[in-house]
Amino acid sequence: MTKSEKIWYSTILVMLVITILFAMMLGASFITPQQMMTAFQGGNPNQLDVLINIRFPRILSTMLCGGMLAVAGAASQAAFRNVLADPSILGVTSASDFFILIGTMLLPEFPASKFIFSILGGLFALLLLTRGPALKSPYRLIIIGVAMMLTFTGFEQLFANGFGGQTTGSFNGITWSQTEVLLFLGVSGMFAAVVISPWANYLKLSTEQLQTKGVSASMMRLALLLVVVYLSSGVSSVVGTVPFMGIVVPNVVRYLVGRDYQTIIPLSMLMGAWLLLVVDTIGRIVVLPSELSAAVIMTVIGGPFLILMLQRKNFNGLKSS
């Protein structure tokens, strides 16, 4: 581990701890550190209930989703060799949301239906992306992905009219049971991403170079894309779509520590957790007594970020190597 990597790991961990403390204090009611200590000592059962059953699961689920989406973005960028590849931009999460809606309509009592149909939707979107000519051009990939995103979003709105649709990227009201699902999906998926992160580095080489080494580019790309679908679908099945996390975080990390995916993926996990927690905490307090969803704030952040990426003079879409 280089000196720069050590500095950024330490910095992000410190920022994450500080943000967790602020997230515990801030909300519809402000809880001071002294009041938190009193509540944990049994002096205020109401505040203890708010901390344990409302703020803690929300903080943990937000960090898990942030890490999952950031890692999914990094893995998709490696698989597609495109620094703008992201499940939300490529239509993967929109397809997951649409399939969740259809599954809820057809099989409302089916166990784990949201996650299963979310996975099916993500796989369907990737099938459409990888079968055509999209991989040959970074711009074509993004254009086709955006078209798919809008198409699936339109179908979702059409079918959801009068039925009630999927959640929209908000962590308001999330429960411990939902957090436990995210914990299982997040830990398993992010662990798999870290294990296969060397494959992301191999994909920087051309197909011909990989063949001379006896390595299958198709197998490595498929493994990375399965991790992308697993992580993004896990988030979609619980909280819906939170856009642009997979673009913003990996590209910032790449700028800070370089292009080694064995560093990008774990550091993106931490930075994603921190960024989404910051975003959700701001959303909880900026329009009290109401709140803004994390999806809305990430759209405000991610949209201009994407525009700046596209307008860079030296951008060619293939800079993940």
Side-chain angles (χ1 to χ4, degrees):
M1 185 181 294
T2 66
K3 182 178 180 180
S4 174
E5 292 170 3
K6 291 178 181 178
I7 290 173
W8 283 113
Y9 271 116
S10 302
T11 301
I12 294 172
L13 282 171
V14 170
M15 292 192 303
L16 186 59
V17 171
I18 293 172
T19 307
I20 290 172
L21 293 175
F22 274 101
M24 290 169 60
M25 294 188 291
L26 300 174
S29 60
F30 181 77
I31 301 178
T32 66
Q34 184 177 1
Q35 289 173 325
M36 278 193 283
M37 293 299 297
T38 302
F40 286 125
Q41 292 170 358
N44 193 324
N46 291 333
Q47 287 186 339
L48 182 63
D49 182 64
V50 169
L51 290 169
I52 296 297
N53 295 315
I54 297 178
R55 295 192 182 173
F56 280 0
R58 182 164 185 163
I59 290 169
L60 181 56
S61 62
T62 302
M63 292 192 299
L64 285 166
C65 288
M68 291 165 73
L69 292 173
V71 170
S76 63
Q77 288 160 22
F80 288 115
R81 296 174 178 171
N82 187 329
V83 295
L84 296 184
D86 168 69
S88 62
I89 288 293
L90 298 179
V92 175
T93 53
S94 297
S96 293
D97 287 346
F98 174 60
F99 272 61
I100 288 172
L101 176 63
I102 297 302
T104 303
M105 294 171 64
L106 298 178
L107 299 170
E109 303 300 327
F110 190 77
S113 63
K114 284 190 174 183
F115 179 65
I116 292 172
F117 280 97
S118 182
I119 287 282
L120 292 175
L123 290 173
F124 181 69
L126 282 182
L127 180 65
L128 295 178
L129 282 171
T130 54
R131 284 179 62 87
L135 294 179
K136 298 178 182 179
S137 167
Y139 286 107
R140 180 176 292 179
L141 177 69
I142 299 304
I143 291 170
I144 293 175
V146 170
M148 287 173 50
M149 175 189 68
L150 294 173
T151 300
F152 285 120
T153 300
F155 275 119
E156 183 186 4
Q157 293 173 350
L158 176 66
F159 282 86
N161 187 24
F163 179 80
Q166 166 72 343
T167 53
T168 55
S170 173
F171 294 90
N172 185 26
I174 198 161
T175 64
W176 272 115
S177 60
Q178 293 173 306
T179 304
E180 289 166 1
V181 171
L182 285 171
L183 183 63
F184 172 76
L185 297 176
V187 170
S188 57
M190 289 186 287
F191 177 77
V194 171
V195 169
I196 64 174
S197 60
W199 291 4
N201 286 328
Y202 281 130
L203 287 176
K204 298 175 186 178
L205 303 175
S206 66
T207 303
E208 292 75 17
Q209 288 175 308
L210 290 173
Q211 287 175 346
T212 60
K213 295 178 179 291
V215 180
S216 171
S218 299
M219 183 191 70
M220 292 188 293
R221 183 172 288 111
L222 176 61
L224 286 166
L225 290 177
L226 288 176
V227 169
V228 170
V229 171
Y230 182 81
L231 290 171
S232 60
S233 297
V235 175
S236 293
S237 66
V238 178
V239 300
T241 297
V242 181
F244 296 113
M245 283 293 301
I247 292 180
V248 174
V249 174
N251 279 291
V252 171
V253 170
R254 192 176 288 112
Y255 175 79
L256 295 176
V257 298
R259 303 181 183 279
D260 182 0
Y261 277 99
Q262 289 182 270
T263 301
I264 290 174
I265 286 178
L267 194 57
S268 292
M269 189 189 311
L270 291 175
M271 183 172 282
W274 171 77
L275 177 59
L276 195 56
L277 183 58
V278 169
V279 164
D280 184 61
T281 303
I282 291 172
R284 281 194 283 150
I285 62 174
V286 71
V287 288
L288 286 173
S290 184
E291 67 175 62
L292 292 177
S293 71
V296 170
I297 299 179
M298 277 309 304
T299 300
V300 173
I301 296 172
F305 186 90
L306 177 60
I307 293 170
L308 289 173
M309 289 283 293
L310 287 168
Q311 289 186 334
R312 287 189 307 172
K313 290 182 180 179
N314 62 343
F315 175 73
N316 61 12
L318 298 172
K319 297 187 68 175
S320 59
S321 57

